[in-house]
Amino acid sequence: MQMGENAAHHSHHQAFGVAIDVPSQNSSKCFDDDGRLKRTGTLWTASAHIITAVIGSGVLSLAWAIAQLGWVAGPAVMFLFSLVTYYTSSLLTDCYRTGDSVTGKRNYTYMDAVSSILGGAKVKVCGWLQYLNLFGVAVGYTIAASISMMAIKRSNCFHESGGKNPCHMSSNPYMIMFGVMEIFLSQIPDFDQIWWLSIVAAVMSFTYSAIGLTLGIIQVVANGAFKGSLTGISIGTVTQTQKIWRSFQALGDIAFAYSYSVILIEIQDTVKSPPAESKTMQKAAKLSIAVTTAFYMLCGCMGYAAFGDFAPGNLLTGFGFYNPFWLLDIANAAIVIHLVGAYQVFCQPIFAFVEKELSERYPDSYFLSKEFKIPIPGLLRSYNLNLFRLVWRTCFVILTTVISMLLPFFNDVVGLLGALGFWPLTVYFPVEMYIKQKKIPKWSTSWVCLQMLSMACLVLSIVAGAGSVAGVILDLKVYKPFKTSY
């Protein structure tokens, strides 16, 4: 995701997912060329969707990432990632239609595009990566939400004791609370009506990012100087090897903050034509990546300027800031609300995929298909309870919660997810699809340049992944399962 807010946009399509056969002369009035209702999205709605999807909890680890890399490399790396993401997403926009960019067959999702353009084993690989990434996101969100809930509790505890009490507490009860909420929410059978969640998530992510930014600026003014150095965290604060691993991990954190390719095609599917959807979408990508990068630079650099080497892994909960404590509470509450919705938005595609696969495999199973109508007092409609859905979704949420309790390291998990998803989903598949679509000959200049870009990003991904794994291993040395306290 921003893992988050993505799949909120999946919902829009299912609502219109009814294929209607319409004689072609009428189709121009209220239906598009594929027989679905006319799409109404514009440059502005598409940009808003991308910004919603991208600016998520990843923004909070950027000050830490810049602190590892320093004033020179930090912003440079961020700028580089934004360019690569913009370039590959403009390649991806051409894959929305197979063949011709105006009349070709539409692909509604990222996997549809991979299957219609590349086909074969690559589709399976893409599916596995995408669903693994979504699963990882669910774990990352559980950890992030519990940290923010604890931060509210701790900031009030600090405030009452005048900072004398260290206020140690365990994250487990908070993860369990979050899990219980998600078990209830995950029983919502279809997510057609979730567009409002995307709006809430967007408002919340701007709220907490803006508070983080403001507090950073206030802190810099209070310090009377910009902290930090050109080369990042100094040897002495960390050892030479730690410095190297942490710099690698910072790359993963930044990659994670830019990953939205997985939902680009789903967003493009909401855009009206003419002009060709790919034209509108390229403008939207340019606009939204520019806005996001400016915002990230501000948040990351201000956080680093405020704390220097000691920039916390999560800007709002690392207790660089103690006051004004009510403002921090608002920011952390906004994060929790955002994540509660974002978790659902991310898991719904996994739920739908598993349920569809199984019902196709065992069409006659009573357990899979029987729905019990349960009347809800006060509501007109009754709730359809399906035993399989109840059992499977509950188990899924319990699994993500248990894994989160075993691995409560926000930064490492974010870095690892960024590293895993970045190369294959943001670079490799878009490049391969583009080469195949445009029939670029092997060993031609553009083919070689595209392959070099892909290789360079693969190396980045491997390095960032290694850094995050090293981070997890270092954390595990001093760690007892289910016993983490802050």
Side-chain angles (χ1 to χ4, degrees):
M1 169 193 350
Q2 343 6 16
M3 334 191 225
E5 304 88 24
N6 313 4
H9 317 308
H10 291 294
S11 50
H12 301 298
H13 319 301
Q14 281 135 15
F16 305 133
V18 192
I20 309 164
D21 291 313
V22 187
S24 56
Q25 62 269 28
N26 301 349
S27 62
S28 60
K29 293 219 180 80
C30 52
F31 294 99
D32 275 330
D33 53 7
D34 59 343
R36 296 193 176 191
L37 283 170
K38 254 209 181 323
R39 291 159 176 81
T40 54
T42 59
L43 169 64
W44 300 110
T45 61
S47 306
H49 278 323
I50 296 176
I51 292 171
T52 304
V54 180
I55 297 184
S57 54
V59 71
L60 299 173
S61 64
L62 290 177
W64 181 87
I66 290 186
Q68 309 314 308
L69 299 166
W71 279 121
V72 182
V77 167
M78 223 185 252
F79 193 62
L80 197 79
F81 272 106
S82 67
L83 286 181
V84 171
T85 309
Y86 168 62
Y87 180 67
T88 56
S89 49
S90 63
L91 298 184
L92 245 189
T93 54
D94 286 334
C95 304
Y96 172 62
R97 288 178 181 268
T98 308
D100 185 82
S101 70
V102 183
T103 56
K105 174 187 156 304
R106 293 170 187 260
N107 298 309
Y108 301 117
T109 63
Y110 192 93
M111 267 183 84
D112 289 350
V114 174
S115 95
S116 78
I117 297 170
L118 298 174
K122 286 184 178 163
V123 186
K124 280 213 167 70
V125 175
C126 169
W128 271 106
L129 280 166
Q130 209 175 337
Y131 290 119
L132 249 176
N133 213 3
L134 292 175
F135 180 79
V137 163
V139 172
Y141 276 10
T142 307
I143 296 173
S146 74
I147 292 177
S148 283
M149 292 190 219
M150 286 194 315
I152 295 176
K153 188 95 167 71
R154 287 183 71 196
S155 87
N156 295 335
C157 157
F158 278 134
H159 189 72
E160 279 157 23
S161 70
K164 292 183 187 61
N165 178 353
C167 301
H168 290 305
M169 53 183 68
S170 162
S171 56
N172 294 342
Y174 297 94
M175 291 192 187
I176 293 167
M177 266 161 58
F178 185 77
V180 170
M181 273 191 283
E182 295 304 346
I183 288 175
F184 279 107
L185 281 173
S186 64
Q187 296 308 318
I188 300 175
D190 48 17
F191 245 41
D192 290 349
Q193 280 72 41
I194 197 192
W195 55 268
W196 54 271
L197 225 138
S198 183
I199 294 171
V200 171
V203 172
M204 291 299 157
S205 57
F206 270 115
T207 307
Y208 64 71
S209 309
I211 291 178
L213 179 59
T214 317
L215 289 173
I217 295 171
I218 294 170
Q219 184 75 39
V220 171
V221 173
N223 295 344
F226 278 73
K227 289 192 173 178
S229 62
L230 295 180
T231 53
I233 196 161
S234 40
I235 311 288
T237 314
V238 290
T239 61
Q240 182 76 50
T241 32
Q242 269 179 320
K243 163 101 176 153
I244 295 170
W245 287 124
R246 284 170 143 216
S247 305
F248 289 169
Q249 192 189 324
L251 297 175
D253 284 7
I254 295 173
F256 174 70
Y258 275 109
S259 55
Y260 76 99
S261 317
V262 185
I263 50 146
L264 180 93
I265 289 188
E266 278 91 335
I267 296 173
Q268 193 164 347
D269 192 38
T270 63
V271 173
K272 63 178 181 202
S273 60
E277 297 88 351
S278 57
K279 290 218 172 69
T280 310
M281 207 56 200
Q282 280 181 3
K283 283 186 194 146
K286 194 182 278 175
L287 180 71
S288 49
I289 289 176
V291 170
T292 311
T293 304
F295 199 70
Y296 278 1
M297 289 279 193
L298 277 170
C299 279
C301 294
M302 274 304 158
Y304 181 37
F307 299 117
D309 282 359
F310 301 102
N314 178 329
L315 196 55
L316 291 171
T317 58
F319 285 102
F321 303 118
Y322 292 100
N323 286 320
F325 79 111
W326 53 269
L327 191 61
L328 280 174
D329 291 353
I330 293 174
N332 281 307
I335 296 178
V336 176
I337 296 169
H338 171 178
L339 293 178
V340 166
Y343 179 98
Q344 278 312 312
V345 159
F346 259 94
C347 296
Q348 288 292 333
I350 305 183
F351 295 158
F353 177 73
V354 170
E355 284 154 27
K356 180 167 153 274
E357 286 289 306
L358 284 171
S359 60
E360 280 168 8
R361 204 165 288 178
Y362 307 107
D364 309 327
S365 157
Y366 177 82
F367 179 57
L368 283 174
S369 56
K370 177 75 177 126
E371 301 244 329
F372 299 94
K373 290 216 178 304
I374 298 176
I376 302 174
L379 278 182
L380 297 172
R381 299 191 316 186
S382 54
Y383 174 73
N384 292 339
L385 176 78
N386 169 310
L387 286 179
F388 171 68
R389 191 169 59 219
L390 180 70
V391 174
W392 134 247
R393 293 186 177 190
T394 305
C395 291
F396 178 88
V397 176
I398 291 173
L399 179 66
T400 58
T401 310
V402 170
I403 292 178
S404 309
M405 284 155 69
L406 282 169
L407 282 183
F409 326 121
F410 178 67
N411 274 59
D412 301 335
V413 173
V414 164
L416 196 57
L417 286 171
L420 284 178
F422 176 69
W423 177 69
L425 299 171
T426 306
V427 185
Y428 174 76
F429 286 119
V431 165
E432 290 300 301
M433 290 194 281
Y434 182 78
I435 288 176
K436 182 123 187 231
Q437 283 265 63
K438 298 283 184 234
K439 302 186 174 58
I440 296 173
K442 242 187 180 164
W443 303 113
S444 63
T445 319
S446 42
W447 186 88
V448 171
C449 291
L450 284 166
Q451 295 298 357
M452 278 164 62
L453 172 76
S454 184
M455 283 297 103
C457 292
L458 171 61
V459 172
L460 263 181
S461 258
I462 292 172
V463 160
S468 301
V469 170
V472 171
I473 292 169
L474 281 175
D475 287 345
L476 285 174
K477 282 184 179 163
V478 292
Y479 157 81
K480 303 177 185 61
F482 299 117
K483 286 259 188 328
T484 313
S485 63
Y486 286 86

